[in-house]
Amino acid sequence: DDMESLSELKNDSEKLAGKVRWVAFKDHFFSTIMIADDAFTATAVETEIMPDRSEFIKKHSMEASVAFDPNGIRSTKFHTYDGPNQYRVLKSYDKELDSEDKLRLQHIIPMGWSLFRWITTCVIIPVFNFLGKYISSYGLIIFLLTIIIKLVILPFTFKSYMSSAKMRVLRPQIDEINARIPAEKAMERQQATMALYRKVGVSPMGGCLPMLLQMPVLFALFVFFPVAIELRQQGFLWADDLSSYDSIFSWDVYIPFISSYYGNHISLFCLLMAIANIISTKISSDAQGASNAQMPAMKWMMYLMPIMFLFFFNDYASGLTYYYLVSTLLTLLQTFIFRLAINDQKILDKLNNYKPKAKKKSGFMERLEQ
């Protein structure tokens, strides 16, 4: 009931003492799987990288023992699977093969930790397959999937924006505290700032929780798009293959640092994604000006992340960078709509009229305050 894997980056081998139901030789999008109707025993598997042939070629081998009746009364049966690493196809063999237990061949597709895998298999893949029944363009499917996800997490996005808006309308009062208390008295300045937050009922970390709740979905999509065989050889706009990077310009000359970390090409979706993220960071930074003024290192890190993404995602599937581009653009649109719909003066008035709820302090808190 467990699955183990050999190393994909170096020569590796392993001898398995227990029963083995199947062994898969997995490529990126295709696999060859040997399946025993009963079980393999004394199984030895090995993978060997062959640099003398090519950096893309590996040699895989398997040796195993099987139960065999020399009288021919009981037959020894096998199944082999040679086909795509497609989730719904691999999962279908749990029911098709005559077996009391499930094969779970679909687990050869890497989809991250259990939480991310659950989101991918129970939410993203069903919606992706449903849209694929009616729409032939996978670029359009990714666009619609992004809109659906944005609508689902809209309440969290709105809550995060409201937290930023509260910090923005408090900026004049924060500036007054900073002007009144010199920087040398950092502790006193911080205490005065926190006292203001408590007075108006604002948490400086109020926007973090909604963002954290969105992270599992973002990670699930980060894992899904590079392994989705549906995107293989599917073109959209200038991208010839959504499962690979969308190079618009490449070069053969080795450029120090650039070639090592960025590669020898420019992926347009990745470049546009980075630009959109910088714009989004600028808008977000302006909205959180009060807090960023106190944490300049955090502001610097916010601008550094899009540049890091530019290097990190340049070789990734263009379907993934296209999704992040659309997602960022929709976030900018949401922010623009929120700003039109929300009145900063009303937020400030509400904060100034805030009345904290009476809470009974524990004996420990009273002693701590004393």
Side-chain angles (χ1 to χ4, degrees):
D1 295 328
D2 191 18
M3 186 187 74
E4 299 181 23
S5 301
L6 297 182
S7 172
E8 298 182 0
L9 302 177
K10 61 182 181 180
N11 296 342
D12 197 4
S13 63
E14 190 169 348
K15 292 184 178 180
L16 308 171
K19 292 183 177 181
V20 176
R21 186 65 195 280
W22 50 263
V23 174
F25 297 153
K26 187 183 83 66
D27 202 345
H28 190 171
F29 288 126
F30 298 93
S31 290
T32 295
I33 309 175
M34 176 69 80
I35 308 166
D37 277 22
D38 186 9
F40 298 114
T41 58
T43 308
V45 288
E46 182 179 6
T47 179
E48 179 185 358
I49 298 175
M50 308 183 72
D52 56 324
R53 296 279 299 278
S54 168
E55 61 178 312
F56 303 108
I57 295 180
K58 296 180 182 178
K59 178 183 177 182
H60 304 287
S61 62
M62 163 199 174
E63 293 183 5
S65 299
V66 293
F68 180 74
D69 183 3
N71 297 320
I73 298 176
R74 183 180 179 184
S75 61
T76 300
K77 294 183 179 180
F78 303 91
H79 284 84
T80 59
Y81 175 87
D82 296 271
N85 299 333
Q86 190 169 20
Y87 183 85
R88 61 179 176 83
V89 174
L90 293 171
K91 185 176 176 60
S92 68
Y93 287 101
D94 283 348
K95 298 179 180 179
E96 290 191 14
L97 295 182
D98 185 15
S99 174
E100 295 181 358
D101 58 339
K102 294 183 178 180
L103 290 175
R104 290 192 286 270
L105 298 177
Q106 67 273 15
H107 280 264
I108 69 172
I109 304 176
M111 291 185 180
W113 298 333
S114 56
L115 174 60
F116 307 147
R117 188 177 188 90
W118 181 86
I119 294 174
T120 302
T121 58
C122 298
V123 180
I124 296 175
I125 291 180
V127 174
F128 195 77
N129 291 337
F130 174 79
L131 295 174
K133 293 179 181 179
Y134 305 99
I135 303 173
S136 58
S137 171
Y138 278 93
L140 182 57
I141 290 174
I142 294 175
F143 180 79
L144 294 176
L145 180 65
T146 311
I147 292 178
I148 293 172
I149 293 173
K150 279 295 183 182
L151 291 176
V152 171
I153 63 178
L154 180 61
F156 302 120
T157 307
F158 180 76
K159 189 173 181 63
S160 180
Y161 177 83
M162 284 299 297
S163 178
S164 300
K166 291 176 181 179
M167 301 296 292
R168 183 174 65 250
V169 298
L170 290 174
R171 184 189 300 180
Q173 299 181 55
I174 299 295
D175 292 341
E176 188 275 330
I177 291 175
N178 294 335
R180 176 166 47 86
I181 302 176
E184 293 77 17
K185 299 181 179 180
M187 181 64 71
E188 185 178 343
R189 177 185 285 187
Q190 184 68 17
Q191 289 175 343
T193 302
M194 295 306 297
L196 172 64
Y197 290 154
R198 287 193 298 269
K199 178 182 176 182
V200 298
V202 170
S203 171
M205 305 299 291
C208 295
L209 181 59
M211 290 300 295
L212 289 176
L213 293 175
Q214 300 177 41
M215 293 305 291
V217 177
L218 297 178
F219 277 117
L221 289 164
F222 169 76
V223 175
F224 169 70
F225 281 116
V227 300
I229 193 173
E230 291 86 353
L231 301 181
R232 180 176 179 268
Q233 298 180 353
Q234 296 292 327
F236 182 69
L237 298 179
W238 56 81
D240 298 326
D241 187 346
L242 288 172
S243 69
S244 181
Y245 55 79
D246 53 315
S247 175
I248 58 167
F249 181 76
S250 61
W251 56 89
D252 297 326
V253 179
Y254 178 81
I255 304 176
F257 182 80
I258 297 295
S259 297
S260 299
Y261 297 96
Y262 185 74
N264 64 340
H265 63 274
I266 296 176
S267 298
L268 184 54
F269 274 134
C270 180
L271 180 62
L272 295 175
M273 176 197 72
I275 295 174
N277 269 288
I278 292 175
I279 296 174
S280 178
T281 300
K282 171 63 176 174
I283 295 175
S284 176
S285 178
D286 292 342
Q288 300 175 1
S291 60
N292 285 333
Q294 299 178 27
M295 295 184 291
M298 182 65 69
K299 183 177 181 180
W300 179 78
M301 283 294 296
M302 290 173 63
Y303 281 104
L304 180 63
M305 290 301 293
I307 299 175
M308 293 175 61
F309 288 161
L310 182 63
F311 284 82
F312 186 75
F313 286 104
N314 194 52
D315 281 334
Y316 264 70
S318 55
L320 177 65
T321 51
Y322 166 59
Y323 160 76
Y324 282 145
L325 169 63
V326 175
S327 178
T328 305
L329 293 177
L330 290 176
T331 299
L332 290 172
L333 178 61
Q334 286 178 338
T335 302
F336 179 73
I337 295 174
F338 289 159
R339 285 195 172 185
L340 290 179
I342 297 174
N343 188 299
D344 285 1
Q345 186 59 45
K346 290 183 177 180
I347 295 177
L348 182 60
D349 293 340
K350 187 176 180 179
L351 293 178
N352 291 331
N353 295 325
Y354 172 77
K355 295 181 180 180
K357 296 181 181 179
K359 294 183 179 180
K360 184 179 179 180
K361 295 182 180 180
S362 65
F364 172 77
M365 285 301 299
E366 288 181 355
R367 290 192 298 271
L368 183 64
E369 288 181 358
Q370 291 174 4

